Every structure is written in structure tokens, then in C-alpha cells.
Amino acid sequence: MNPAGKPGKTGSLMAVEVALARLLELADASRVREHERLPLARIQGRVLAADLVSTLDLPPWPNSAMDGYALRLADWTGEPLVVSQKIFAGQAPEPLKPGTCARIFTGAPVPAGADCVEMQENAEVQADERVRFTETMTSGQNIRPQGQETTVGELILPAGTRLGPIEQGLAASLGCAELDVVRKVRVAVLSTGDELVEPGQALGPGQIYNSNRVLLCNWLQCLGCEVIDAGILPDDLATTRARLGELKEVDLILSTGGVSVGEADFLGIALREEGELTLWKLAIKPGKPLTFGHFRGVPVIGLPGNPASTLVTFALLARPYLLRRQGVKEVDPLKFQVPAGFVWPKAGNRREYLRGRLENGRAIIYKNQSSGVLRSAAWADGLVEVLEGRTLIEGDWVSFIPLSEVLS
Ligand code: AMP
Ligand code: MG
């Protein structure tokens, strides 16, 4: 047993990180360079093409963090102060008259001459409308200084940043109505297998419904890709050749199925004949066979067909590859250590990605980890990583990758 697990090559199998490094190299070499300028409402999940540099100080002027009173601390002697002006958010105040205070509301500019805001809860309005402060005050309190968030010329988001709601809000706060984003990566999705039927149709003998197609097409859209749904490819060489040949205007052909050892692998044959084929046997479970190559120059990734294998290999290999092709630098999903709430008595020679959940701070796993059981992933919140060569007793630390990390 090797409790730490052994990265690198495991027998004739390729370690996951070796395959990923190779895929990322290939992605770097075929980065999508074209970009387009789009309004913020249309950039969800897209990748920033140029550095976003602030043209503003944020906030642009010191403003009040509270509803209360602005004053010059030196003017407070214990004697109540006259309120000389009222400042709402959106107004431009007069300089503060010496020896007075200003009624001020959250987000309103602090008047010149004031160096402190006291919240209204610590202020008593006297019968004569002057204000008395009940607590000790300090200079600068409750004032958000100019430029506390950003200053002019500061790099806010580097090129290669994925743009989610937070980045969109940040860009809007800087006054950007549009951003330069990398053109969408065009991905053709092919499901291979004579047994496959689309949902909505009747199942014939020996047939199953195609689950990978919708899983991948919708997932790719979450990743900011343009999806070309290329349907089901029968297990037949002539059709495989013809259908691959139609997919010229794409950045990647992503297929599932037909890469198992021992099967008549028509995709593989077509790639070997009219492109290039690399067949990897990965130390990953579910998963293992993964095809990479090109057909007449168009890159192809062939994922294993069992739905849980498709999910895991897409999440850990194809997803980072596609993000990197759009120029994203950080493509590793967040993973953290949790104690195992299960036992793993038998060490495997492949790295396992068990569909699991966190319960009372421990990772538990779905009862059936078969690669054909997609339900395991619907039940799960994440992938529990058990390194090759490793056994576990309850309480041993394992890595947990939340599924939410990889699904978008
Ligand atoms: P293959 O890699 O083609 O040998 O497929 C492995 C297993 O995954 C077989 O049981 C297939 O029926 C199943 N499978 C392949 N593609 C799909 C798909 N698109 N949807 C559901 N199951 C699939
Ligand atoms: Mg098949």
C-alpha cells in the first residue's frame, strides 16, 4: 500500500495530471485569438480578452457609510451642534460650515471640512434641533475614503478572467457598458453508438436513451461555448468519416463512446486515416480510455461513453482544455480536504473520482459507483478523489471537488 498515492505513471496507465498537462499544452498552442465587444448583459461565462484597467477612483469621493451626521471632530466640545445642511445620496454638498454638523445619509458625499460621520443611533436631536453626540468619536469613522476600492490606472481584471455575475457587477461599477471577450469556442458534440435513441422516441430492443448529448450540450453552454449538436453517430466507418468531414467550422469535435478497448472503434480508425490519433489509457476511474487527435486538422477529444465516465473525464480534462483554449489561466477546480466517512479497503491502480456528498463534515459516497450510473452524480455534491494505490479508513483525509466548481 502507498497511503500517499503515487502520482506519475501507474504501470502502463497515464496519470491524470500528465494527461491534463498535455491537453493544456495543446490548448495553449491553439488558443482562440479572435475577440468581440459585447454589452455586459451578454457576457455571462465568457472570458475577458484584454486587461480591464480602472478609469475611475472608486468611490470617486469620500462618502458616508451610515445614516447620521458629518462633522469636524475638532468642533465637538460636548456642546450640541447646529445642523447646517442635509445631504442625500446623489447630491453635491456645500463645504461644512465651521462649528456645525451636516445631516448625511448612506452613500452621500462627505462635505469638505468634515472628517467624521457619527451614526444617527448615537445622536440626540435637542428640542432646539441642535444635535448632541453620546459616544466617543474618532477621526475618519464611517467615512469610505476616495479610491478605497480602486484607483485610476489600477489593473482590476486581467485578460483571461472568466466573467461571472461578480465580475460583471465590478465592470459596471467602473462604468463599463461593454467588454472585449474572447470569441466563443465552437464545439461539435457527437454521441456514438448504434444503441442510442433520443428521448421522446420509443425504445427498440437493445436500445438506450442518449443521455450524454444533453448533458454535454448544456454543460458546454454554461462554459461559454457555442454548441453544434451533431447528433448520434452510428457504429459505421463510412458514416463516421462523412459526418466528421461535415464538421469543418468548429474548434473541437467532442465525442462520447466508441473508445473502449476491443470495440470496433470507428472514430479511431477515421482519425488514424485522415488525421492523427492518440489513445490514452488513463489512471482514472470512472474513465480510462480517452482519445485525442484531429480529423483533417480539427481537434477531436473522444470521451468514454458511460455517462459517469463522460461526466468525470469532461469535468477533469475536457473542461480545463476548453477554458484554456479561451485563454483562462486558472483552470483547476477548487478542491479541499475532508475526512472520509467511508472505508476504502482495496487500493486501485486508477485514481477514483467517487460521487459523494458532505454529511456532518465528512465525505460519504453513493452506494453504486458504477460508471454507467449517472444517478450517482445527481445524488452527489462533489467528486471524492481517492489516489491510486490508496486505502482508506474512516477519518482519513480525502480531496473533495464540489460539482458546482466544474459545472460552470
Ligand atoms: P462505448 O464507450 O461506446 O463502449 O460505451 C460504453 C457504455 O456507455 C455502453 O454501455 C454504452 O451503451 C454507453 N453509452 C455510450 N454512449 C452513450 C450515450 N450517449 N448515452 C448513454 N449511454 C451511452
Ligand atoms: Mg459504443
Side-chain angles (χ1 to χ4, degrees):
M1 188 188 79
N2 166 21
K6 213 181 214 164
K9 265 200 147 184
T10 8
S12 59
L13 301 178
M14 185 188 258
V16 180
E17 64 273 14
V18 175
L20 179 61
R22 181 80 192 107
L23 281 175
L24 293 181
E25 252 172 52
L26 292 160
D28 276 326
S30 57
R31 279 259 303 276
V32 171
R33 300 282 169 188
E34 302 95 314
H35 46 92
E36 54 187 331
R37 199 159 177 80
L38 288 180
L40 294 191
R42 291 183 49 209
I43 59 168
Q44 176 55 33
R46 302 291 291 272
V47 176
L48 192 61
D51 290 347
L52 177 63
V53 173
S54 181
T55 54
L56 282 180
D57 284 352
L58 272 189
W61 16 258
N63 72 93
S64 178
M66 290 283 176
D67 290 343
Y69 296 87
L71 65 149
R72 185 186 290 114
L73 203 52
D75 288 344
W76 173 244
T77 58
E79 188 63 23
L81 296 178
V82 167
V83 179
S84 56
Q85 62 176 319
K86 209 180 229 185
I87 315 161
F88 293 99
Q91 292 183 340
E94 301 287 321
L96 185 68
K97 264 199 208 119
T100 72
C101 66
R103 182 77 170 112
I104 195 164
F105 298 92
T106 305
V110 174
D115 58 9
C116 158
V117 168
E118 180 58 304
M119 60 169 129
Q120 61 195 21
E121 289 81 353
N122 296 339
E124 282 173 10
V125 182
Q126 313 288 293
D128 62 4
E129 296 193 339
R130 291 185 308 158
V131 179
R132 199 175 77 78
F133 300 105
T134 57
E135 304 294 322
T136 311
M137 297 177 283
T138 54
S139 171
Q141 74 174 35
N142 299 322
I143 295 178
R144 304 191 278 218
Q146 176 174 346
Q148 80 163 1
E149 182 170 1
T150 71
T151 52
V152 173
E154 215 184 319
L155 173 63
I156 306 301
L157 297 171
T161 302
R162 289 193 75 205
L163 301 166
I166 295 170
E167 291 75 17
Q168 291 158 28
L170 188 57
S173 73
L174 293 168
C176 301
E178 299 176 328
L179 287 175
D180 277 320
V181 297
V182 178
R183 147 166 94 66
K184 283 188 177 187
V185 175
R186 288 191 279 266
V187 184
V189 175
L190 268 177
S191 319
T192 73
D194 280 339
E195 74 278 31
L196 300 179
V197 173
E198 289 305 335
Q201 295 174 14
L203 277 185
Q207 295 184 316
I208 59 165
Y209 287 120
N210 182 0
S211 49
N212 291 340
R213 175 188 192 174
V214 70
L215 182 139
L216 288 179
C217 288
N218 290 348
W219 195 348
L220 285 161
Q221 261 157 14
C222 296
L223 296 179
C225 299
E226 182 183 331
V227 180
I228 294 91
D229 180 353
I232 295 171
L233 189 61
D235 291 321
D236 165 75
L237 184 57
T239 317
T240 301
R241 258 196 222 114
R243 294 275 295 282
L244 288 176
E246 287 163 14
L247 303 171
K248 289 188 201 93
E249 303 294 312
V250 301
D251 300 301
L252 179 72
I253 297 171
L254 183 66
S255 78
T256 63
V259 288
S260 311
V261 186
E263 179 173 351
D265 173 7
F266 301 105
L267 182 77
I269 297 170
L271 297 196
R272 222 176 272 124
E273 284 178 359
E274 296 189 60
E276 199 182 308
L277 170 76
T278 313
L279 187 62
W280 287 334
K281 287 204 185 68
L282 303 179
I284 190 172
K285 193 177 174 189
K288 191 168 165 184
L290 191 120
T291 296
F292 187 87
H294 68 86
F295 184 80
R296 301 182 194 157
V298 180
V300 178
I301 293 182
L303 303 177
N306 272 309
S309 308
T310 302
L311 170 99
V312 167
T313 50
F314 184 85
L316 300 178
L317 295 159
R319 175 185 178 274
Y321 167 88
L322 284 166
L323 293 179
R324 182 57 66 80
R325 282 198 71 182
Q326 298 173 73
V328 179
K329 285 180 200 81
E330 279 303 318
V331 294
D332 292 333
L334 167 84
K335 89 178 155 185
F336 50 83
Q337 299 282 305
V338 289
F342 60 96
V343 294
W344 196 253
K346 196 166 168 282
N349 66 341
R350 290 187 276 162
R351 193 169 302 178
E352 301 250 2
Y353 290 93
L354 306 167
R355 276 72 71 214
R357 249 189 206 183
L358 296 181
E359 210 170 81
N360 301 322
R362 295 189 155 207
I364 55 168
I365 54 173
Y366 191 69
K367 56 183 188 262
N368 185 337
Q369 293 288 334
S370 160
S371 59
V373 177
L374 187 57
R375 194 172 167 194
S376 60
W379 176 90
D381 303 326
L383 300 173
V384 180
E385 184 183 65
V386 180
L387 296 184
E388 43 273 60
R390 175 126 203 235
T391 57
L392 296 173
I393 55 169
E394 280 202 36
D396 278 352
W397 293 93
V398 286
S399 294
F400 188 86
I401 303 171
L403 278 173
S404 56
E405 270 290 300
V406 288
L407 284 171
S408 59

